[in-house]
Amino acid sequence: MDRDHSVGSKSFTAVAINTAAKAGEWIKMKQGTHASLSQKSSSHDLVTEVDKGSETMIRNLIKTYFPDHAFLGEEGVAPGAEASARAIREMQDEEYLWIVDPIDGTTNFVHGFPYFVVSIALARRGEVIVGVIYDPNRDEMFVAEKGKGAYLRGKPIRVSSEERLGDALIATGFPSDTVSTLPVNLRGLQAVAPIARNVRSAGSAALHLAYVAAGRLSGFWELGLNSWDLAAGALLVQEAGGRVTDTRGEPYSLSVRHVLATNGLVHGELLQTLADAEATGF
């Protein structure tokens, strides 16, 4: 494969797909080792091993093809909102920046709940141009290229056609910050649940975004997320005809932490519902 800077977007996407598939298979294989674990510390060690191992694999594969590209992975950033905001600030102007979540849904992984994915995005000077999300348990590879649409198993996907929140299946997540962010999101849940057709939480923001893109969900919101949770999924939703903003309705960028992604048709209603409940996180 050509390794200079004239490499086309096809090659970027091919590397992202290949890398996500390899990491996903490795993670799935590691899940089998969990059965013998009994103590909490062991499950924490497993998560650390699998997160770090997956990220190292992804980084090495990408660097093999694109040694000059910048790389931002969850494992390379200290925990907490400040550190993750600073990391994306420092790196978002790079010509090419790979943004990776080596396993989104680690809590699910530990419990054997089969909803976890590998998320790989490539941004060019702050704009996401490739997004890949791979679910190894269902062998589903969601792929988007800027301006070229979104695909699942090679077939084009589109967002759902529900026009009212009352007909819409909506997803959210429960932030780990139990002091400030979680109570706000619970206010949002209390407001949305009686209006929407129903609400789901699969425990993986990246998977929720992929499902909005595929029309399986009509909308998703969550507070306190990081760039690696969102970058690939945001492009998928946009390329599938949907809309991604922050919870105030401002356009998506790599620095967004409080996200709202929908089929576009229920976006306004969901924005208003969260605003009325003072549940935007702002």
Side-chain angles (χ1 to χ4, degrees):
M1 191 177 285
D2 192 350
R3 296 188 187 195
D4 67 18
H5 288 297
S6 66
V7 175
S9 64
K10 250 298 174 264
S11 302
F12 293 147
T13 308
V15 169
I17 290 169
N18 181 37
T19 304
K22 286 199 163 111
E25 285 311 308
W26 185 78
I27 291 163
K28 197 177 169 191
M29 185 185 74
K30 283 287 175 187
Q31 196 182 22
T33 64
H34 179 248
S36 60
L37 295 174
S38 55
Q39 296 167 329
K40 192 77 185 103
S41 63
S42 301
S43 69
H44 182 265
D45 292 344
L46 173 74
V47 165
T48 306
E49 181 206 344
V50 173
D51 270 332
K52 283 196 162 66
S54 175
E55 185 162 314
T56 302
M57 177 187 283
I58 292 166
R59 182 194 293 264
N60 289 345
L61 281 166
I62 288 170
K63 289 286 188 182
T64 300
Y65 291 100
F66 309 113
D68 302 335
H69 288 191
F71 186 95
L72 175 63
E74 180 180 21
E75 288 305 301
V77 179
E82 276 310 302
S84 104
R86 189 166 58 250
I88 197 64
R89 256 199 322 275
E90 288 168 0
M91 299 185 85
Q92 62 187 6
D93 294 329
E94 293 276 353
E95 184 177 14
Y96 287 108
L97 172 64
W98 292 87
I99 305 166
V100 170
D101 195 337
I103 172 168
D104 187 48
T106 43
T107 302
N108 290 346
F109 172 82
V110 169
H111 288 270
F113 188 68
Y115 292 87
F116 49 84
V117 296
V118 178
S119 176
I120 300 177
L122 174 62
R124 184 171 192 192
R125 297 194 182 94
E127 182 183 44
V128 183
I129 58 169
V130 174
V132 169
I133 292 172
Y134 180 55
D135 173 356
N137 285 295
R138 280 163 210 78
D139 190 27
E140 289 191 329
M141 182 78 71
F142 299 86
V143 180
E145 280 185 57
K146 182 81 184 166
K148 294 186 182 172
Y151 298 84
L152 169 57
R153 293 204 174 114
K155 297 197 171 87
I157 50 175
R158 292 288 300 172
V159 292
S160 70
S161 55
E162 281 84 21
E163 296 179 5
R164 294 173 50 253
L165 209 45
D167 299 320
L169 187 62
I170 304 294
T172 190
F174 302 108
S176 54
D177 171 9
T178 56
V179 178
S180 54
T181 323
L182 181 62
V184 178
N185 217 47
L186 289 173
R187 276 208 303 275
L189 180 63
Q190 201 162 14
V192 173
I195 302 171
R197 184 169 213 173
N198 217 317
V199 179
R200 297 286 179 263
S201 186
S204 164
L207 190 62
H208 284 147
L209 288 165
Y211 278 18
V212 171
R216 297 172 182 177
L217 293 164
S218 296
F220 161 67
W221 93 95
E222 191 173 339
L223 310 181
L225 292 168
N226 299 302
S227 56
W228 49 81
D229 299 312
L230 298 174
L235 183 65
L236 274 162
V237 172
Q238 290 166 332
E239 288 296 319
R243 187 174 170 204
V244 187
T245 66
D246 69 13
T247 49
R248 294 173 302 194
E250 297 297 317
Y252 169 77
S253 72
L254 288 177
S255 56
V256 165
R257 297 183 58 78
H258 307 328
V259 75
L260 176 62
T262 71
N263 62 4
L265 302 171
V266 301
H267 207 89
E269 201 181 346
L270 197 45
L271 271 175
Q272 193 60 55
T273 303
L274 294 174
D276 291 347
E278 296 182 355
T280 63
F282 289 102

